[in-house]
Amino acid sequence: MAEHRDVVAVGASAGGVEALRALVGGLPPNYPGAVLVVLHVPRDAPSALPGILSRSGPLPAATAVDGEHLRGGRIYVAPNDHHLLLLDGHIRLTRGPAENGHRPAVDPLFRSVARAVGPRAVGVVLSGSRDDGAAGLSSIVGRGGTAVVQDPDDALYPWMPRAALAEVDTEHVESAAKLGGLIAGITAMDLPENTPARPSDAMLDAEVSMSELGPLTSDELALPPSGYGCPSCGGALFQIDVDPTPRYRCRVGHAWSPESLLDEQAIALEGALWMALRALEEKSALSRRLAGRDQRRHGSSGDRFRRIAADAEAAGRTIRQLISQVGSSLPATDDPAPPTGGPGALTDPAPGVR
């Protein structure tokens, strides 16, 4: 019996709710494949996405359950604060290291599906504001699977689709409204028989193990140090040299693409500048208070305290200018949720709020 590309891994971030609704709405009622979905959501916010997707298309959607056997004709949605993986035909939910600051993250799902089913995999990248999913999609294609990408011109946030298209070569680029039909057509096609088995990929195995919270650490992989620090834990980052774009992992497994690492460095820099500004403002206020006290006591150190205050205030003006400059380079929001109570809201509104 011929095999089919019947395991679909979908990744989305900012602007992804509407794209997901359109995708599942285009799937036929008798679609035989299984659909696994990661949407970047806040770690502490329960998601209403399964209900949204169930109402948007013919297939039932539910929050994935750890250990559940993968079945066709269903949509499995990653819960908040857990990576969604596919291991040996079963769902696995883990609290493994965040990737690009996200858990759940798109790339761990894509890598696990690539390793688990190889040519049967279909990777789908939808709207998002960074470059998540590109590396994982490359793993799917590298194991014989197929890449599908939302047309960047159709995406609310085109950067994830653009990054995916820069990473992999695929002809399957469509608007969200046409993706369901496209995926159904891909699944309907028989896979070539007698496809040669692909050799194991040690790096893919290692990265899936890290996402599964295995005992493996990055320094055991003989990766070169990058010279950068991990924004998540402060540890040293090691460089994974892959074409066309390198990636980075710290010892315990936090993973970063260059773009996401740059964005996080900008956020950390702004935080450090705000701390410096606070310290300068406090120094100025304390110095002026001491100067006033000294004047009342007819002391001789008031001028010195006023000079200290003036120097701190001048430095504070410089820091404010730097904050303004850094702020202009900060990344766009990666929050996928529309306003609370809207048709695509991810979290249930508070009781009594509609």
Side-chain angles (χ1 to χ4, degrees):
M1 181 180 296
E3 289 190 316
H4 299 267
R5 290 191 166 96
D6 56 356
V7 179
V8 182
V10 185
S13 192
V17 175
E18 294 304 317
L20 283 164
R21 294 178 67 193
L23 186 157
V24 302
L27 292 171
N30 60 346
Y31 180 69
V35 182
L36 300 102
V37 175
V38 164
L39 176 69
H40 292 157
V41 295
R43 296 188 189 182
D44 58 351
S47 173
L49 186 61
I52 293 170
L53 299 186
S54 289
R55 294 191 297 271
S56 300
L59 301 185
T63 301
V65 176
D66 189 49
E68 185 176 6
H69 182 73
L70 193 70
R71 298 167 59 186
R74 294 175 178 269
I75 300 172
Y76 301 86
V77 178
N80 65 313
D81 202 29
H82 288 78
H83 289 316
L84 171 62
L85 309 178
L86 178 63
L87 302 175
D88 299 323
H90 290 79
I91 298 294
R92 182 83 170 92
L93 302 179
T94 79
R95 301 190 72 248
E99 297 213 13
N100 293 334
H102 297 295
R103 189 175 61 213
V106 175
D107 288 307
L109 169 64
F110 282 8
R111 292 192 197 99
S112 72
V113 168
R115 192 181 72 157
V117 299
R120 292 169 52 204
V122 179
V124 184
V125 172
L126 302 179
S127 175
S129 66
R130 286 185 176 177
D131 55 358
D132 303 87
L137 193 65
S138 178
S139 295
I140 286 177
V141 172
R143 303 299 294 172
T146 293
V148 175
V149 180
Q150 182 181 4
D151 186 340
D153 293 335
D154 178 65
L156 288 174
Y157 292 79
W159 292 277
M160 268 178 56
R162 286 176 183 169
L165 292 174
E167 192 80 19
V168 302
D169 185 21
T170 179
E171 61 184 18
H172 301 307
V173 182
E174 285 287 1
S175 65
K178 296 181 179 178
L179 289 180
L182 172 62
I183 291 168
I186 291 173
T187 299
M189 293 187 295
D190 292 347
L191 281 172
E193 295 185 5
N194 302 320
T195 302
R198 294 176 181 264
S200 61
D201 184 329
M203 182 58 66
L204 179 62
D205 292 343
E207 292 197 274
V208 172
S209 176
M210 289 179 185
S211 297
E212 196 185 355
L213 263 183
L216 186 68
T217 59
S218 294
D219 60 326
E220 297 176 50
L221 302 177
L223 299 173
S226 69
Y228 308 128
C230 175
S232 291
C233 67
L237 288 172
F238 300 88
Q239 182 166 318
I240 302 174
D241 287 313
V242 291
D243 290 328
T245 307
R247 296 182 287 109
Y248 306 96
R249 278 192 183 271
C250 72
R251 176 185 295 269
V252 296
H254 296 120
W256 300 92
S257 68
E259 182 178 330
S260 295
L261 180 59
L262 189 64
D263 287 346
E264 291 296 323
Q265 288 173 335
I267 293 170
L269 175 58
E270 186 185 8
L273 289 173
W274 280 111
M275 292 178 63
L277 180 60
R278 173 192 55 77
L280 288 167
E281 292 290 345
E282 291 176 353
K283 182 178 182 181
S284 172
L286 179 58
S287 296
R288 292 204 177 277
R289 179 176 296 181
L290 292 174
R293 183 196 64 175
D294 191 72
Q295 184 175 5
R296 290 193 300 272
R297 295 180 178 180
H298 306 288
S300 60
S301 57
D303 288 343
R304 181 173 69 88
F305 288 133
R306 280 187 286 272
R307 285 195 301 272
I308 292 174
D311 289 343
E313 289 162 5
R317 288 192 291 272
T318 300
I319 295 295
R320 291 180 192 276
Q321 293 175 353
L322 290 173
I323 290 174
S324 178
Q325 293 172 6
V326 170
S328 66
S329 67
L330 289 175
T333 177
D334 212 29
D335 181 4
T340 300
L346 288 181
T347 54
D348 293 322
V353 178
R354 291 292 182 266

